[in-house]
């Protein structure tokens, strides 16, 4: 993987500029500038990690102590989506020409959690998060409990994530934006699961362990996730699993194969229940004990063959089933508490509508010129060569679904394995191809005409 987004010198400049914003400033020009920095840092971090090169983005974030800033920005957008975005959707006089700026704010949470997932794999990143790791634990708990409850109630998602459809002025655009927001939550929750696993790998903080086990009872949440398995579903009688950002059909011989997400849950449980420090803190009361013992039904020989660490976990469950562990000692300790969510909410309590109206006026009704400038900057950030290097697998043919090597020369957005498939699919693709090509040409002409 030879593509590079930023050089180390550029990366250092971007990292140094990272700052914590107020809720009112979300979507501002300064905020969007930082958004571009984080997008580039995220793509470079993924490229470096995937190619086993020097992970200088992670090193820079650790050195300049910017991981707490990323956690703050993650939770800031989470609060905005919960408190301000619903108000924006209900404002009668809000009819934006384009929902593009709003979508970029909504998508930013996914970008930040993706960057954190990449860097938190390393212990020094977890240590550099300092007190904000408590806020990150709370964030992961919120996402995973919501994921488990929605899956238990409604089952796994029944459709793939919708594409950013809708044209300016379309009355259904805001509704489409809300649909995309809900779909993104699924992907964000799965990233939060990975972040949680890395925290359980690395932390030895009493406050973090207490928060995981005593405040949030994360083992029981994780058991619920194994039981409902949100990343697996049946479609037309076939098993599909969510892997690498898409739902993929699983052949019968691979039905029992453990996915990466399955492994993240089991390793998190292993860390939380078998580490000595954690065992001393966890209360194995009747409810918790019975919930955890449900895992015996999932620990098959096939599963243990794929993750041998689970053999000691199986022995632990067998021992737990015939014993009653002593209750944990209630020692008097001074523990840290998370602050970011509470600080943002308390600072802006009662101001949600005022913030929404301010942002409607100052932020989310950009002029045509502003929209073109934003589109130009993002086109520079998301270059096709870099995006292709980030793909976890080869593109799929838009007609037959096979591995594709050729791309539509006009719109550059659809892939095909050969000329025959392209011709066969043209009747379905031509409308979208025309719209994408015309939009791209118009943007290019507008920029070329600027002095």
């Amino acid at each position: 993987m030879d593509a590079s987004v930023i050089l180390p010198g550029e990366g250092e400049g971007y990292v140094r500029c990272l700052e914590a914003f107020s809720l009112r400033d979300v979507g501002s020009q300064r905020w969007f500038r930082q958004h571009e920095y984080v997008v580039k840092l995220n793509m470079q971090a993924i490229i470096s990690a995937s190619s086993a090169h020097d992970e200088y983005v992670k090193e820079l974030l650790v050195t300049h102590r910017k991981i707490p800033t990323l956690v703050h920005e993650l939770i800031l957008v989470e609060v905005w989506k919960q408190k301000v975005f619903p108000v924006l959707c209900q404002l009668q006089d809000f009819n934006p020409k384009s929902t593009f700026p709003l979508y970029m704010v909504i998508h930013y949470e996914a970008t930040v959690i993706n960057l954190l997932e990449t860097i938190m794999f390393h212990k020094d990143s977890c240590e550099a998060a300092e007190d904000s790791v408590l806020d990150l634990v709370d964030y992961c708990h919120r996402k995973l409990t919501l994921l488990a409850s929605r899956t238990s109630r409604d089952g796994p998602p029944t459709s793939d994530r919708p594409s950013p459809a809708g044209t300016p002025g379309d009355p259904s655009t805001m509704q489409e934006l809300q649909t995309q927001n809900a779909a993104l939550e699924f992907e964000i929750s799965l990233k939060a699961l990975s972040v949680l696993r890395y925290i359980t790998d690395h932390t030895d903080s009493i406050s973090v362990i207490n928060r995981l086990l005593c405040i949030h009872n994360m083992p029981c949440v994780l058991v619920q996730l194994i039981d409902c398995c949100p990343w697996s579903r049946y479609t037309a009688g076939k098993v599909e699993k969510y892997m690498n950002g898409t739902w993929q059909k699983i052949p019968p011989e691979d039905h029992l194969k453990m996915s990466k997400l399955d492994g993240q849950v089991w390793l998190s449980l292993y860390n939380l229940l078998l580490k000595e420090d954690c065992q001393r803190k966890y209360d194995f009361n009747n409810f918790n004990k019975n919930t955890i013992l449900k895992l015996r039904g999932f620990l098959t020989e096939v599963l243990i063959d794929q993750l041998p660490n689970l053999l000691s976990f199986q022995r632990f469950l067998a021992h737990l089933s015939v014993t009653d562990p002593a209750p944990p000692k209630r020692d008097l300790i001074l523990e840290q508490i998370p602050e970011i969510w509470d600080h943002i909410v308390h600072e802006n309590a009662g101001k949600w509508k005022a913030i929404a109206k301010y942002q409607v006026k100052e932020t989310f009704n950009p002029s045509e010129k502003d929209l073109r400038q934003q589109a130009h900057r993002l086109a520079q950030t998301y270059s096709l060569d870099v995006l292709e290097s980030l793909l976890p697998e080869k593109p799929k043919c838009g007609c037959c679904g096979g591995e594709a090597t050729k791309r539509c020369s006009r719109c550059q957005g659809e892939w095909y394995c050969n000329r025959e498939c392209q011709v066969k699919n043209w009747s379905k693709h031509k409308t979208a191809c025309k719209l994408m090509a015309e939009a791209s040409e118009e943007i290019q002409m507008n920029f070329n005409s600027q002095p």
Side-chain angles (χ1 to χ4, degrees):
M1 191 178 293
D2 299 324
S4 180
V5 182
I6 53 175
L7 298 173
E10 291 178 285
E12 183 165 13
Y14 292 159
V15 169
R16 284 180 178 272
C17 290
L18 295 180
E19 59 178 316
F21 282 87
S22 68
L23 197 66
R24 181 184 172 96
D25 288 332
V26 170
S28 65
Q29 287 188 356
R30 279 175 52 244
W31 185 90
F32 264 108
R33 190 177 304 115
Q34 178 158 300
H35 169 277
E36 293 168 22
Y37 296 163
V38 173
V39 168
K40 290 180 179 180
L41 290 169
N42 177 47
M43 290 194 290
Q44 185 60 56
I46 295 172
I47 289 172
S48 298
S50 302
S51 58
H53 287 168
D54 178 27
E55 296 188 43
Y56 55 83
V57 170
K58 185 268 295 183
E59 296 293 342
L60 289 168
L61 289 167
V62 170
T63 300
H64 295 289
R65 303 176 70 178
K66 291 294 185 177
I67 295 178
T69 303
L70 288 177
V71 176
H72 178 278
E73 293 304 281
L74 177 73
I75 295 173
L76 182 74
V77 176
E78 182 193 18
V79 173
W80 182 89
K81 287 167 66 175
Q82 288 190 21
K83 304 291 187 180
V84 179
F85 180 60
V87 178
L88 278 172
C89 294
Q90 293 172 2
L91 291 177
Q92 298 294 326
D93 56 347
F94 183 44
N95 187 26
K97 295 178 182 178
S98 172
T99 58
F100 176 70
L102 280 166
Y103 179 75
M104 296 311 296
V105 175
I106 289 170
H107 194 271
Y108 187 59
E109 184 183 0
T111 302
V112 179
I113 191 64
N114 198 74
L115 176 55
L116 287 170
E117 180 193 26
T118 304
I119 64 175
M120 294 296 281
F121 174 80
H122 302 277
K123 186 173 183 177
D124 57 345
S125 295
C126 191
E127 293 170 347
E130 301 174 344
D131 294 350
S132 71
V133 75
L134 291 164
D135 297 275
L136 199 50
V137 165
D138 277 22
Y139 174 87
C140 293
H141 176 257
R142 289 193 294 272
K143 294 300 178 182
L144 296 181
T145 50
L146 186 61
L147 176 65
S149 63
R150 283 180 174 171
T151 306
S152 298
R153 184 183 68 239
D154 306 324
T158 55
S159 61
D160 292 337
R161 188 176 68 183
S163 60
T167 56
D170 186 341
S172 67
T173 297
M174 290 299 291
Q175 184 177 357
E176 174 68 22
L177 199 62
Q178 290 173 283
T179 302
Q180 292 175 21
N181 179 37
L184 265 176
E185 279 297 314
F186 175 70
E187 196 166 326
I188 290 169
S189 298
L190 301 184
K191 299 292 183 184
L193 174 59
S194 296
V195 171
L196 177 74
R197 177 253 159 134
Y198 298 142
I199 292 174
T200 65
D201 274 348
H202 304 312
T203 189
D204 54 7
S205 163
I206 294 176
S207 295
V208 173
I209 293 173
N210 186 70
R211 197 128 197 109
L212 286 165
L213 297 177
C214 305
I215 305 299
H216 294 315
N217 199 354
M218 284 304 301
C220 286
V221 176
L222 294 170
V223 171
Q224 181 67 15
L225 285 174
I226 286 180
D227 189 33
C228 63
C229 199
W231 44 87
S232 179
R233 70 185 185 187
Y234 283 90
T235 304
K238 295 184 178 180
V239 175
E240 293 184 341
K241 291 187 178 182
Y242 194 80
M243 298 186 295
N244 297 323
T246 59
W247 287 99
Q248 300 180 19
K249 289 184 173 63
I250 306 299
E253 62 270 19
D254 290 338
H255 282 184
L256 297 179
K257 187 176 180 180
M258 179 185 292
S259 69
K260 177 184 175 182
L261 292 165
D262 293 318
Q264 300 287 38
V265 182
W266 283 108
L267 289 171
S268 298
L269 279 165
Y270 181 92
N271 291 334
L272 290 173
L273 294 175
L274 266 69
K275 283 185 177 180
E276 187 177 346
D277 290 345
C278 295
Q279 284 190 359
R280 286 201 302 264
K281 293 288 292 182
Y282 194 56
D283 185 4
F284 288 95
N285 56 42
N286 284 336
F287 174 81
N288 291 345
K289 178 180 174 180
N290 290 333
T291 300
I292 291 166
L293 288 177
K294 291 179 182 178
L295 295 171
R296 289 183 297 176
F298 298 94
L299 276 173
T300 62
E301 291 184 8
V302 175
L303 192 69
I304 294 172
D305 284 343
Q306 296 174 74
L307 193 59
N309 286 359
L310 294 182
L311 184 59
S312 57
F313 194 76
Q314 188 181 48
R315 294 187 188 123
F316 163 77
L317 292 178
H319 179 72
L320 180 64
S321 66
V322 296
T323 59
D324 289 315
K329 292 182 179 180
R330 302 298 182 183
D331 298 326
L332 179 62
I333 59 171
L334 294 176
E335 74 172 289
Q336 300 161 297
I337 59 173
E339 298 178 347
I340 296 176
W341 171 277
D342 287 342
H343 174 73
I344 295 171
V345 171
H346 291 159
E347 185 179 49
N348 298 282
K351 303 176 185 176
W352 312 119
K353 190 169 185 178
I355 292 171
K357 288 186 174 181
Y358 170 82
Q359 292 180 340
V360 163
K361 181 181 178 182
E362 301 292 336
T363 305
F364 296 125
N365 259 323
S367 64
E368 292 290 339
K369 180 180 178 182
D370 291 338
L371 279 173
R372 288 199 299 270
Q373 290 175 343
Q374 283 184 359
H376 180 65
R377 289 198 301 269
L378 287 170
Q380 292 177 322
T381 301
Y382 292 102
S383 69
L384 284 174
D385 290 340
V386 171
L387 289 178
E388 287 171 20
S389 71
L390 296 175
L391 290 174
E393 55 184 17
K394 294 290 185 182
K396 301 295 184 183
C397 176
C399 180
C400 70
E403 186 175 304
T405 57
K406 303 179 184 298
R407 185 160 54 190
C408 176
S409 59
R410 187 181 186 193
C411 71
Q412 300 287 307
E414 189 67 277
W415 289 82
Y416 298 101
C417 56
N418 53 47
R419 175 69 176 169
E420 288 73 18
C421 279
Q422 185 177 14
V423 172
K424 186 177 180 180
N425 195 56
W426 176 243
S427 60
K428 296 180 180 179
H429 175 58
K430 64 180 179 180
T431 302
C433 182
K434 181 181 178 183
L435 288 172
M436 288 190 287
E438 288 177 351
S440 178
E441 290 168 4
E442 182 180 353
I443 290 173
Q444 191 62 48
M445 288 175 59
N446 287 332
F447 278 109
N448 291 338
S449 65
Q450 290 180 4

